[in-house]
Amino acid sequence: MKRRDFLKLGGATAFAALFGGCDNLPKKLVPFVIPPENYTLGESLWYASVCRQCPAGCGIVVRVSEGRAKKIEGNPLHPVNSGKLCARGQAGLQALYHPERLGRPLKLSGPRGSGKFTETSWEDALSILMTGLKKIRAEAPGSLLMLAEPMRGHRNLVVHRFLRAFGAPAPVAWDPFGHDALLAANEDVFGIRDIPEYDIANARYLLSFSGDFLETWLSPVHYGRAYGRMRQERPTVRGKFVHFGPRLSMTAANADVFLPIAPGTEGFAALGIAHVMVREKLTPSPAASSLWTAGLRQMTPETVGEKTGLRPSDIEAVAREFAGNQPGLAIAGDGAAGCTNGTFHFSAAALLNVLAGNLGKPGGLSFPDRRSAFPRAGADASTLAPLPESGFASVRNTLEKMRGGAFQVALLSGETNPAFTLPAGLKFPESLLSVPLVVSFSSFLDETSSLSDLVLPVPTYLEEWGDDIAPAGHSGDAVGLLQPVIEPFRDARPMPDILIAAAKELGGPVAAALPWKNFRECLEQGYTGMGVNLENARREGGIFSRKGSLSRTAKRAGNPPLPKAIEASYEGDAARYPLVLHVYPSIALSDGRGANLSWLQEMPDPISTAVWRNWVEVHPKTAESLGIADGDGVVVTSPFGSMEAFAVLHPAVAKGTAAMPLGQGHTRYGRNAAGRGGNPFSLLPVKDTAGAKSHARQSTRVSIAKARIKGKLVRTVNVEGQWKYENIL
Amino acid sequence: MQRPSPQAVIAASLFAFALIAASVASFAETPQPVAYSHRIHVTDNKIDCRFCHSSANKSASARIPPVEKCMSCHRVIATDRPEIKKIAQYWREKKPIYWNRVTELPDYVYFPHMRMVNAGVPCLTCHPGMDRADGAVQKREFTMGWCMDCHKKRGVSIDCWTCHI
């Protein structure tokens, strides 16, 4: 050995001795007690399942490595999203690993509604639930109430069967963005009460009336993908897209032509187009003459222009283009659904599809028979694929009964958060507090579950069995299957499993109605009975066979009535409350269910680029008259409440309108959701949409006043350079 | 040539001593929470290494067997021995066994077990004597030169990025 080598070696050893000795990190090898199935270190497995971050029901594949879910992507085989996934779907991982997720049952330890809970064991928690159920089972089985989000598939079947056998009323489902207006309009115009499948991909011309189909409406990933194909898939045709609406949404920003109109006048714009089409004999539809005599004659571009604020020449131009570019498709969406005359808007848009002769054609709309997926389910088929209604009317009735003392036990389940999303006038918290025993099935403590006596932690959708029929995206026989992609790592139990176990203990007809060992067995029996190879189905994420057209024929497509033109009405005195409030579901937070996920909180709004806070969009001219500058703190007041927000001046908001995203303003939904401004739901009146019985959230006026509020609005840098609204005007 | 100063000589001697001490320490048997014997399993009962280290041909890590694997045999075999009773206790309490790490490579080395195992390199090439050891021992020092010798002998890549990714 050379001297230099010796010294080098010595140096290396001394280095190791000195610094190796400083290493106090535990050098332990910790094996699993029971490893997850198919577990190999460093090897990824992709499991197919279904997203439940919104009701669209996209198929997902989840990368699982070392027994942990690492990434969620779209399932390429699934007909709803064909391999794509939105930001909310991607953020599902954060719900899974959320530090505030409940891992033990919680028992109330203070007064009801105080939000003070102590952890307890499952035995103790279930004994409280069973004592409550057994007490009312004998005397008053009708006093059991289940309040949930609209459920689909066998999950809904278990709940329905449990309640029916128990003798309790059917579950009350609440979804603030239900599709009542669309369903009612389709019943009026086509004679089918269902959600159509819009073939945007093959349309040459697309008219949207506040239909924000790229953001939140119905099935954004599905229609976003179809929109891309409409623009780019065909070598010679680039479909044209015209958007009418009171606000520049992200969808509007993607249109070829955005025609701003006054809030609540979407239906008039559609009738104006119909008028021009019939007057100029641009439609082959036999319905034209009867519509003309029924009153379409009065809807001249001039009359409509006055109501909507559109130029008559624009209406004529759009009508001619729409008629000349077949197949053309007209849709209406969320922005129109919440008006008091929401059904009218949807009927008028549906009428344009009739005039264009669009039913059942490529590039048009069809009505898939979604219940055909369950040929042998019989009477259960309607609970497996229910209609996506909001349930506002039944929630209202139920709350009245609740205050009258009709319910002894209330079970709350799911993503729905009525204490946050119902207007304050319905007095949801007070009504719920009058129920002697309230049990929540929940992964998080939110405004609603904080009002209960007992919170039973449930797994997230990534740890659960289940199935799903999506409201859009297939011909009717496609079913998505959920499977646990990882072993639940909190002490949570799925809600259907708890109900099945409870049924066993109750015995008698309830146990007979739910004869399965657990929910997984229920699913397996259900699908094996339909002749499905479940192993293959789970591998692919569902059953996606397409056996030709399963569309139903419309009963009335040839000769629809002219929708009755109704003006939108607004609560509040125009002098005291000068602005019309236009609320819309946030693209990131929806109705607020995503507000506890930091990935969604820090996702910039596509138009205002704001993050982490609540804001109100007003037209610069309107703001000038109110003395408000961009970024100012304001208090927004309606006749029903008031809240804090920051002003965002935007030239593409209708004058005299205050536009606000929903979803922020939580008081009990963890640290990420807290302190982000007020809750716009608190400003809303208790009002129905005419003809649909859903909540008319677009039906109040507000006033805006400058105020000092804590913090400031944070916007991400605009990549196109800082725009100034003065330059655009 | 200048003679080295006395300080340098003392320092070098200390280094040499430290080197010997370190090597002795690394070859000593590490105490474990359960006195597992490789000799009994591999030499006496002819169990293949990969029965327990079941990821060796699939993954970078050979994998430490889960408690469930131990119990799959020891539910019925030698249940009266004190060390097996310890494992049964872990199993009953659903607690993992915290084994002390014996063999480790620095974090700048990427060593995929499956490459070696699938190329037909016997486990005992790098872990000599493991089959006759009561417990786990590291008899070979994993130096870069030793790895390179083997790679050269077998005619496989000696590119830096093969191991230092």
Side-chain angles (χ1 to χ4, degrees):
Chain A
M1 189 186 268
K2 284 187 215 145
R3 187 181 134 267
R4 291 178 83 174
D5 286 345
F6 173 73
L7 283 176
K8 262 194 256 171
L9 198 60
T13 318
F15 187 84
L18 279 172
F19 293 96
C22 296
D23 190 352
N24 287 328
L25 287 170
K27 296 268 167 131
K28 301 285 183 190
L29 294 167
V30 188
F32 277 105
V33 179
I34 304 167
E37 231 177 299
N38 298 336
Y39 167 75
T40 308
L41 265 174
E43 195 179 68
S44 295
L45 298 162
W46 291 83
Y47 289 103
S49 190
V50 176
C51 184
R52 279 236 210 97
Q53 291 281 82
C54 87
C58 293
I60 52 171
V61 284
V62 187
R63 184 164 82 86
V64 178
S65 158
E66 270 105 77
R68 289 286 174 260
K70 305 266 174 91
K71 185 80 174 79
I72 308 179
E73 284 295 346
N75 179 359
L77 302 173
H78 204 283
V80 171
N81 55 329
S82 323
K84 308 295 168 196
L85 198 66
C86 74
R88 283 168 68 192
Q90 299 269 6
L93 286 179
Q94 270 199 329
L96 176 68
Y97 297 122
H98 205 292
E100 287 156 0
R101 236 189 92 187
L102 303 178
R104 308 265 296 151
L106 296 180
K107 202 161 70 169
L108 193 69
S109 64
R112 273 279 288 288
S114 64
K116 287 200 181 86
F117 291 96
T118 45
E119 289 192 347
T120 182
S121 67
W122 270 103
E123 289 70 36
D124 181 35
L126 289 179
S127 80
I128 297 174
L129 172 69
M130 292 315 297
T131 314
L133 289 178
K134 278 175 186 159
K135 209 173 105 192
I136 59 165
R137 175 82 185 100
E139 301 133 39
S143 65
L144 172 68
L145 169 74
M146 177 111 187
L147 183 59
E149 90 269 26
M151 290 176 287
R152 303 194 290 245
H154 281 75
R155 188 184 173 79
N156 200 26
L157 181 91
V158 168
V159 169
H160 268 265
R161 281 209 188 172
F162 180 84
L163 293 177
R164 206 185 309 141
F166 195 87
V172 177
W174 164 237
D175 172 14
F177 308 126
H179 300 283
D180 309 58
L182 179 58
L183 294 169
N186 286 337
E187 193 169 20
D188 285 351
V189 176
F190 302 111
I192 300 180
R193 190 176 167 77
D194 205 350
I195 300 286
E197 170 65 23
Y198 297 102
D199 189 8
I200 291 177
N202 292 311
R204 291 165 71 101
Y205 202 86
L206 177 62
L207 274 180
S208 159
F209 299 93
S210 296
D212 296 332
F213 64 91
L214 296 179
E215 293 155 270
T216 47
W217 182 69
L218 202 51
S219 192
V221 181
H222 174 64
Y223 288 124
R225 189 158 160 68
Y227 177 65
R229 290 170 61 196
M230 165 185 142
R231 306 285 256 184
Q232 293 173 345
E233 199 181 51
R234 294 162 292 187
T236 53
V237 187
R238 184 175 193 268
K240 189 170 175 179
F241 170 34
V242 178
H243 185 93
F244 294 87
R247 174 186 162 266
L248 185 87
S249 61
M250 189 187 84
T251 311
N254 276 287
D256 291 295
V257 181
F258 166 51
L259 294 166
I261 58 171
T265 62
E266 286 89 349
F268 291 102
L271 285 190
I273 292 166
H275 172 93
V276 177
M277 283 172 77
V278 175
R279 187 183 70 194
E280 301 187 359
K281 299 201 167 42
L282 300 172
T283 165
S285 169
S289 61
S290 69
L291 289 170
W292 190 256
T293 49
L296 193 59
R297 176 198 280 274
Q298 275 87 50
M299 289 291 160
T300 60
E302 288 71 29
T303 324
V304 168
E306 245 167 65
K307 276 200 178 15
T308 57
L310 291 166
R311 278 188 305 219
S313 58
D314 281 343
I315 298 174
E316 283 172 352
V318 169
R320 284 174 200 140
E321 274 189 353
F322 179 65
N325 285 288
Q326 292 301 333
L329 196 57
I331 61 170
D334 255 335
C339 302
T340 49
N341 56 349
T343 314
F344 161 55
H345 301 319
F346 281 89
S347 297
L351 191 69
L352 284 181
N353 288 320
V354 173
L355 288 177
N358 250 339
L359 199 66
K361 280 187 195 156
L365 72 170
S366 54
F367 286 91
D369 188 1
R370 298 208 151 76
R371 283 164 199 175
S372 68
F374 308 106
R376 293 180 218 174
D380 283 333
S382 63
T383 53
L384 290 167
L387 289 173
E389 285 164 325
S390 75
F392 185 64
S394 60
V395 169
R396 237 175 124 166
N397 292 340
T398 306
L399 289 178
E400 235 161 70
K401 279 192 214 155
M402 212 186 255
R403 285 192 291 271
F407 297 110
Q408 296 292 313
V409 180
L411 307 177
L412 308 174
S413 165
E415 300 296 325
T416 188
N417 187 357
F420 181 77
T421 56
L422 283 173
L426 280 182
K427 296 199 169 30
F428 178 83
E430 294 86 332
S431 313
L432 194 66
L433 289 178
S434 72
V435 178
L437 177 67
V438 177
V439 180
S440 279
F441 302 94
S442 185
S443 301
F444 293 99
L445 269 184
D446 59 14
E447 284 83 352
T448 307
S449 49
S450 301
L451 295 169
S452 46
D453 295 283
L454 190 66
V455 187
L456 303 177
V458 291
T460 61
Y461 64 99
L462 296 171
E463 304 152 295
E464 253 188 326
W465 293 99
D467 59 340
D468 195 23
I469 316 294
H474 53 82
S475 62
D477 55 351
V479 179
L481 287 173
L482 282 93
Q483 60 181 331
V485 299
I486 70 167
E487 300 266 325
F489 65 103
R490 304 276 168 124
D491 193 7
R493 296 188 189 178
M495 185 265 286
D497 279 339
I498 297 174
L499 287 188
I500 290 170
K504 267 205 182 60
E505 208 176 319
L506 288 168
V510 192
L514 307 173
W516 314 285
K517 197 171 76 208
N518 51 32
F519 186 47
R520 183 181 171 173
E521 195 182 281
C522 161
L523 271 174
E524 277 171 355
Q525 283 188 9
Y527 284 99
T528 315
M530 287 174 221
V532 169
N533 181 343
L534 263 179
E535 272 310 303
N536 289 342
R538 255 180 229 139
R539 204 167 294 148
E540 295 181 356
I543 309 142
F544 310 130
S545 60
R546 279 171 184 270
K547 301 178 206 116
S549 173
L550 286 155
S551 281
R552 287 178 287 165
T553 42
K555 286 168 202 144
R556 211 187 280 154
N559 202 10
L562 186 77
K564 204 166 153 250
I566 317 166
E567 301 268 354
S569 67
Y570 297 94
E571 294 284 308
D573 174 30
R576 199 161 154 220
Y577 303 103
L579 306 174
V580 167
L581 179 67
H582 177 89
V583 288
Y584 57 95
S586 155
I587 186 167
L589 316 174
S590 178
D591 59 354
R593 63 184 69 176
N596 63 339
L597 308 182
S598 55
W599 283 352
L600 296 180
Q601 282 279 6
E602 67 188 14
M603 180 178 127
D605 177 78
I607 299 300
S608 69
T609 75
V611 284
W612 290 103
R613 269 307 286 251
N614 216 345
W615 70 92
V616 52
E617 292 158 26
V618 279
H619 192 278
K621 285 272 162 60
T622 312
E624 204 184 313
S625 68
L626 296 166
I628 293 166
D630 192 61
D632 275 357
V634 293
V635 168
V636 186
T637 313
S638 83
F640 312 97
S642 72
M643 58 162 278
E644 289 181 343
F646 287 104
V648 165
L649 268 50
H650 201 287
V653 178
K655 277 176 206 161
T657 299
M660 275 180 140
L662 296 162
Q664 296 282 28
H666 285 275
T667 50
R668 287 215 175 114
Y669 199 26
R671 59 189 171 196
N672 289 335
R676 316 244 163 257
N679 175 9
F681 279 111
S682 67
L683 303 178
L684 305 181
V686 183
K687 225 170 165 194
D688 286 342
T689 303
K693 295 263 183 286
S694 64
H695 184 211
R697 54 182 182 273
Q698 246 77 283
S699 63
T700 183
R701 294 174 162 278
V702 290
S703 66
I704 294 185
K706 209 166 152 171
R708 280 181 70 88
I709 62 177
K710 256 176 102 175
K712 70 182 178 65
L713 184 71
V714 181
R715 288 153 130 169
T716 54
V717 174
N718 192 314
V719 284
E720 284 94 26
Q722 289 291 333
W723 55 264
K724 275 210 158 76
Y725 59 87
E726 289 91 348
N727 301 342
I728 303 173
L729 288 184
Chain B
M1 198 179 128
Q2 211 187 331
R3 279 188 61 190
S5 69
Q7 285 92 339
V9 174
I10 294 167
S13 322
L14 277 174
F15 292 155
F17 177 73
L19 169 73
I20 293 155
S23 0
V24 168
S26 74
F27 292 150
E29 206 165 286
T30 316
Q32 298 289 2
V34 176
Y36 171 83
S37 168
H38 276 95
R39 180 179 52 79
I40 293 173
H41 289 84
V42 183
T43 308
D44 298 354
N45 291 304
K46 306 275 179 286
I47 297 171
D48 193 282
C49 306
R50 274 153 43 194
F51 179 78
C52 295
H53 300 290
S54 57
S55 287
N57 62 338
K58 286 180 257 175
S59 157
S61 159
R63 188 193 203 184
I64 304 300
V67 185
E68 189 188 28
K69 190 117 204 184
C70 307
M71 289 308 289
S72 63
C73 296
H74 287 296
R75 256 183 260 261
V76 286
I77 296 172
T79 48
D80 54 336
R81 308 271 166 81
E83 293 303 308
I84 306 300
K85 281 181 177 161
K86 266 197 221 169
I87 295 181
Q89 183 65 24
Y90 279 106
W91 177 247
R92 267 197 299 279
E93 291 172 8
K94 293 283 171 275
K95 277 184 182 159
I97 304 171
Y98 280 53
W99 298 103
N100 287 311
R101 189 168 193 124
V102 174
T103 307
E104 196 173 13
L105 286 172
D107 57 5
Y108 50 79
V109 179
Y110 174 64
F111 179 83
H113 272 91
M114 74 276 201
R115 291 281 154 76
M116 310 292 154
V117 174
N118 291 336
V121 179
C123 304
L124 295 175
T125 313
C126 305
H127 305 288
M130 194 66 103
D131 56 338
R132 292 183 306 279
D134 286 318
V137 288
Q138 185 188 332
K139 292 249 170 91
R140 174 88 67 211
E141 208 183 346
F142 298 127
T143 59
M144 186 168 139
W146 176 73
C147 295
M148 294 272 282
D149 280 348
C150 194
H151 270 229
K152 277 178 189 156
K153 220 180 283 164
R154 293 179 149 262
V156 290
S157 170
I158 53 161
D159 193 280
C160 305
W161 298 111
T162 309
C163 307
H164 300 289
I165 53 169

